[in-house]
Amino acid sequence: GAVVSQHPSWVICKSGTSVKIECRSLDFQATTMFWYRQFPKQSLMLMATSNEGSKATYEQGVEKDKFLINHASLTLSTLTVTSAHPEDSSFYICSATGLAARLQETQYFGPGTRLLVL
Amino acid sequence: RKEVEQDPGPFNVPEGATVAFNCTYSNSASQSFFWYRQDCRKEPKLLMSVYSSGNEDGRFTAQLNRASQYISLLIRDSKLSDSATYLCVVSYNFNKFYFGSGTKLNVKP
């Protein structure tokens, strides 16, 4: 149990386009979803935390108008990178925690989305 | 000061060796502790939670020292497949998790 999927797994796009990444919890209800970014050889950097039905909480330095997060249901959160630029190229990973007691404490990660902006 | 600090390594050890990593955390109110494993270009995967009483899973043993605010991970009989980056994660409410920068382990034949 506690499987999280992400789609797409990789994206190559032109500079200026917007890219939407989906994060789904497949077998549990995710009360909270987290979005991370990871550059090569660096640690995970939390971008934002989202709770179902409410606005996402963004970390300092993350532009909320550039990285739009929607958490419309207990199984789906989306991250849209608007007007992507080459410096947005990165590995984007989502994670989720769930309603059930055993799922509250632990983050379950999606497989990540590799974004390359040309 | 970072919330969670780890020695980045790399730790280069031969197969069969025992290796240990430590991770320190700054918030004494931290409640939950985890070790994750991340392979190159992959997402982190939960290795084990760390409880006050310690936790053992096969060759892996995790310990928590609240007084000194650190957690440890011990790997016995290292395998080549243990080569990865090990991430320490700390949470003091279930809405916020802090990651260490990871400790890289290379197990060599």
Side-chain angles (χ1 to χ4, degrees):
Chain A
V3 179
V4 177
S5 71
Q6 268 184 255
H7 178 80
S9 55
W10 57 269
V11 180
I12 301 175
C13 68
K14 292 182 180 179
S15 186
T17 58
S18 292
V19 176
K20 188 177 191 178
I21 302 170
E22 291 186 351
C23 177
R24 292 181 186 272
S25 56
L26 298 184
D27 53 359
F28 68 102
Q29 291 183 314
T31 46
T32 305
M33 285 186 168
F34 305 85
W35 286 97
Y36 294 87
R37 182 167 53 179
Q38 187 174 35
F39 293 105
K41 297 187 179 181
Q42 293 188 25
S43 184
L44 289 167
M45 289 172 46
L46 179 64
M47 299 175 68
T49 302
S50 75
N51 294 293
E52 184 264 339
S54 60
K55 289 184 179 179
T57 302
Y58 289 81
E59 295 298 300
Q60 194 172 11
V62 178
E63 298 175 57
K64 61 180 180 181
D65 294 329
K66 180 166 181 65
F67 298 99
L68 301 177
I69 292 172
N70 184 282
H71 193 162
S73 76
L74 283 173
T75 59
L76 174 64
S77 176
T78 61
L79 167 69
T80 301
V81 183
T82 61
S83 186
H85 290 283
E87 59 266 28
D88 297 324
S89 300
S90 188
F91 187 40
Y92 291 86
I93 312 175
C94 73
S95 71
T97 56
L99 275 173
R102 70 175 180 86
L103 297 175
Q104 280 182 356
E105 298 183 349
T106 307
Q107 288 187 83
Y108 295 91
F109 285 86
T113 297
R114 294 205 175 274
L115 172 62
L116 176 61
V117 185
L118 303 177
Chain B
R1 185 182 172 188
K2 288 183 181 178
E3 294 280 347
V4 180
E5 299 209 52
Q6 291 182 253
D7 181 343
F11 285 61
N12 299 307
V13 303
E15 263 187 298
T18 295
V19 62
F21 315 132
N22 278 348
C23 159
T24 58
Y25 59 94
S26 60
N27 191 328
S28 60
S30 298
Q31 298 169 322
S32 304
F33 309 88
F34 310 89
W35 283 103
Y36 279 78
R37 169 198 170 125
Q38 186 175 25
D39 292 287
C40 188
R41 302 174 71 84
K42 297 282 189 182
E43 78 277 20
K45 291 190 184 297
L46 179 65
L47 184 62
M48 58 201 315
S49 302
V50 188
Y51 307 118
S52 296
S53 56
N55 193 16
E56 185 172 326
D57 183 5
R59 298 181 294 108
F60 298 85
T61 301
Q63 297 281 353
L64 167 63
N65 186 316
R66 285 192 182 272
S68 301
Q69 293 183 205
Y70 74 86
I71 65 173
S72 63
L73 178 67
L74 180 79
I75 305 175
R76 290 181 295 277
D77 189 22
S78 300
K79 311 289 184 192
L80 294 176
S81 57
D82 294 334
S83 297
T85 296
Y86 290 84
L87 302 171
C88 169
V89 182
V90 173
S91 172
Y92 48 78
N93 61 51
F94 299 146
N95 221 30
K96 199 83 170 179
F97 293 81
Y98 293 94
F99 282 75
S101 56
T103 297
K104 189 168 174 57
L105 172 65
N106 295 318
V107 181
K108 306 211 179 272

